[in-house]
Amino acid sequence: MPNGGQPTIVSIAARAGVSIASVSRVLNGQGARRDTEERVRRAAAELGYVPNAVARSLKDGRTRQLTFAMPDIGNPVYVAMVRAIQAVTKAAGYRLLLHSTDAVAEDELAVLHSLGDRTSDGLILCPIRITDEHVAALTAAAGPVVVIGSLPDGVPVDSVRADSVAGSALVVAHLHGTGRRRIAFVNGPSDTVPGRNRGHGYRTALAAHGLPYDESLVVHTDFGIESGAAAARRLLPARPDAIFCANDQLALGAAHALLARGVRVPEDIAVAGMDDSTLAQAGWPPLTSVDLGSSARGRRAAELLLDRLEAPDAGAAFAPRTTTAFPRLVVRASTAPATGSPDPSPLTRTP
Amino acid sequence: MPNGGQPTIVSIAARAGVSIASVSRVLNGQGARRDTEERVRRAAAELGYVPNAVARSLKDGRTRQLTFAMPDIGNPVYVAMVRAIQAVTKAAGYRLLLHSTDAVAEDELAVLHSLGDRTSDGLILCPIRITDEHVAALTAAAGPVVVIGSLPDGVPVDSVRADSVAGSALVVAHLHGTGRRRIAFVNGPSDTVPGRNRGHGYRTALAAHGLPYDESLVVHTDFGIESGAAAARRLLPARPDAIFCANDQLALGAAHALLARGVRVPEDIAVAGMDDSTLAQAGWPPLTSVDLGSSARGRRAAELLLDRLEAPDAGAAFAPRTTTAFPRLVVRASTAPATGSPDPSPLTRTP
DNA sequence: GTGAAAGCGCTAACAT
DNA sequence: ATGTTAGCGCTTTCAC
């Protein structure tokens, strides 16, 4: 047989002695005579019938699959998004297709293009950077797309963004509020949107608190624990009393480098991260961080996409929507005030 | 139009003035007259044609999609697997469907059952526990399945298992070798296969090193950082000189609880985890752990599955294969000898 | 070399 | 209430 031996409505029809249409009707809960209904159900059960989803998809033009494309599933931020998205799509009866772009722009474009192959009904894309080609591809997309990230104006696509400017400001304000005055900043690559925004937020917040912007207190690097450690070592001569890092991995690396040199965290230098990933709570000392809403953004993106899909009239019927997730400061031990509350960190207890 | 305005071979054929068969041939790289070839390609390009993967799937009975079902994508162990699997499947030209079962057995069975809907060509299942129903469903599976976990004998399905008995033994041996004699054990739930195995490995290894099995040094709990902290506090009265935890989250929790009480890690008590997840290296002190090969198992599972799919004759043609991943001990600061090498942990430096 | 037509499994008119 | 049939988009015989 052409099939893998799987039962189809044809086999059921034969076994039940009815037409395939009746089988389809019974199985889809449309009326039928008691007798017919029974025989069809029995035949289906005996054969262990499972409807072929591909055939159904071809018929009604939808797969009930959604695609999520992100740079790297190894990054806790994206894991949080996947998790949130998965929860929403699962509840709505959609399967989730995962695509790792490895932070390669071409790959992102390929995913966008492949939306035309009708493998999935919609796409959530988390691009590392938005190029003109991205804009073009997004505009010409063959199906509904939601972007997690900041899009230039005029791109006719729903998007969900983080407010990392505000997030950075929250951290700086917190550090300032707990007595820190020489607040260093370890940023990620400055040629990405988040990198630029975080830098902007940092500078703005410094100004707002009357602190000078000191070049020697700022380091640009890539993400990753080891980079954070290196950055911290580089910053030490500038004598910061706080190090704010553009993500938790950097912060963790920085904290470890400091501890390894006998610098006390937070007594001598406070350390704060960003993203509030699992690493933040797992670190020692537990890291103060800003939740930029990875989960919330994932959830919202999924909701926007489903909303489009469920919309009565097809495609880009209504105007693109943009949502911004509010940042939330999560204070932990790594930024306890240098003096004040008694013995904030057990690290200082030296028996 | 019935379609979403997407071009199909019909539109191309019309535009190029040829039959749909010719379009198909040209697009699939089969011979055609220069002239024909050119016109078809041009028409396809102008229309922005992308082949409909669903139609193709229906035709040739395969989707080039694989499903990976695991309990919870939030767990670093599964993230590592997803990552490894994704890399293999992507390279082989397969898409990856992610399914989170939320550790619900019914959901696992549902996934197994839904293999019959032909949505994906094969399944990698990472079950939390193997029940009789699992065995039945696995035996009756409508397509190739690879299980990550330990399967009873006789189940006709490929599987990839971890050797947590050996892994536990490695840790105990290491702790014993670095002078620890009162080695406590924080285990996960004892009614899971890994739980039982890890407990078994612990006991066996103790015996092998001539250490007594002391009930008061063993705690059963569920996984999670907070559980680890609670367990450590509970163990303190029993005066352990090492705490071995059944996973990294527990270990991290334990280490933090100890530090918070002024107990030095590793000087007073060594702490070791299991899985060697990102938490292990990110933690402070960096955790000694055993890599049970999450990545390796994921990769291997994907390879086994692809192997089946690529096999000339269909289905369960050849006998089930079982692979076991070798555990690998990763020593970090959290288990440095209590005395000996000079100043293993910066924590001891008290300026 | 190219076109006509069958068929993958299913649903939904349309007929009876 | 049930059967016949067309058609979703594609690949692949089979004729010409």
Side-chain angles (χ1 to χ4, degrees), chain A:
Chain A
M1 60 200 70
N3 190 9
Q6 291 268 322
T8 69
I9 48 169
V10 176
S11 13
I12 297 182
R15 181 168 249 249
V18 298
S19 72
I20 62 167
S22 290
V23 175
S24 177
R25 280 191 214 101
V26 169
L27 264 27
N28 291 310
Q30 316 204 8
R33 217 184 341 177
R34 265 289 283 273
D35 170 51
T36 311
E37 161 119 24
E38 220 157 64
R39 278 156 58 201
V40 169
R41 292 219 179 280
R42 184 148 34 80
E46 288 169 355
L47 261 34
Y49 173 74
V50 180
N52 183 317
V54 176
R56 178 129 49 179
S57 291
L58 180 59
K59 188 74 179 82
D60 56 42
R62 39 188 283 151
T63 55
R64 302 203 70 91
Q65 285 186 175
L66 264 28
T67 301
F68 176 49
M70 42 54 200
D72 171 26
I73 186 60
N75 185 322
V77 171
Y78 301 122
V79 172
M81 288 181 184
V82 171
R83 207 179 190 193
I85 292 171
Q86 154 86 33
V88 175
T89 57
K90 185 177 178 182
Y94 282 79
R95 290 176 233 101
L96 217 216
L97 223 33
L98 205 68
H99 189 108
S100 181
T101 61
D102 301 320
V104 173
E106 285 170 9
D107 219 33
E108 293 171 356
L109 296 173
V111 175
L112 227 26
H113 189 64
S114 78
L115 201 48
D117 76 7
R118 309 275 101 185
T119 280
S120 64
D121 298 343
L123 169 68
I124 298 175
L125 178 65
C126 194
I128 190 71
R129 221 185 312 269
I130 313 262
T131 66
D132 290 347
E133 282 169 300
H134 280 82
V135 172
L138 283 168
T139 307
V145 181
V146 176
V147 167
I148 298 185
S150 295
L151 237 38
D153 287 343
V155 183
V157 157
D158 292 333
S159 66
V160 182
R161 59 184 61 177
D163 191 345
S164 46
V165 175
S168 304
L170 278 179
V171 176
V172 172
H174 165 66
L175 292 170
H176 181 268
T178 49
R180 312 292 174 167
R181 289 300 177 267
R182 292 188 58 72
I183 303 172
F185 183 43
V186 181
N187 201 358
S190 57
D191 60 340
T192 61
V193 177
R196 227 188 323 280
N197 284 343
R198 292 169 196 203
H200 179 59
Y202 166 72
R203 258 194 315 274
T204 310
L206 282 188
H209 292 285
L211 297 176
Y213 177 77
D214 180 347
E215 279 272 320
S216 70
L217 286 175
V218 176
V219 173
H220 275 280
T221 180
D222 49 16
F223 294 114
I225 294 189
E226 197 32 62
S227 305
R233 282 183 226 109
R234 192 127 63 87
L235 284 168
L236 272 183
R239 313 218 117 263
D241 57 9
I243 301 182
F244 167 34
C245 301
N247 82 1
D248 290 334
Q249 314 197 27
L250 289 172
L252 218 46
H256 287 190
L258 296 179
L259 292 174
R261 300 223 162 174
V263 176
R264 298 171 308 162
V265 178
E267 292 79 357
D268 301 329
I269 299 183
V271 174
M274 194 158 221
D275 286 339
D276 193 38
S277 61
T278 46
L279 289 183
Q281 28 181 331
W284 189 266
L287 286 175
T288 290
S289 191
V290 188
D291 179 3
L292 292 179
S294 304
S295 291
R297 279 179 287 155
R299 191 182 330 113
R300 189 80 188 106
E303 289 167 353
L304 285 174
L305 188 53
L306 287 173
D307 192 39
R308 284 260 177 222
L309 291 173
E310 243 84 285
D313 38 21
F318 47 94
R321 297 155 295 178
T322 296
T323 308
T324 302
F326 285 114
R328 195 173 50 90
L329 182 71
V330 181
V331 178
R332 297 198 182 84
S334 72
T335 60
T339 61
S341 50
D343 202 3
S345 164
L347 285 184
T348 60
R349 293 191 202 147
T350 45

Side-chain angles (χ1 to χ4, degrees), chain B residues 97-147:
Chain B
L97 223 32
L98 206 68
H99 189 109
S100 181
T101 61
D102 301 322
V104 173
E106 284 171 10
D107 219 30
E108 293 171 355
L109 295 173
V111 175
L112 227 27
H113 188 64
S114 78
L115 200 48
D117 76 7
R118 308 276 101 186
T119 280
S120 63
D121 298 343
L123 169 67
I124 299 176
L125 178 66
C126 194
I128 190 70
R129 220 185 315 269
I130 313 262
T131 67
D132 290 348
E133 282 169 301
H134 280 83
V135 171
L138 284 168
T139 307
V145 181
V146 176
V147 166

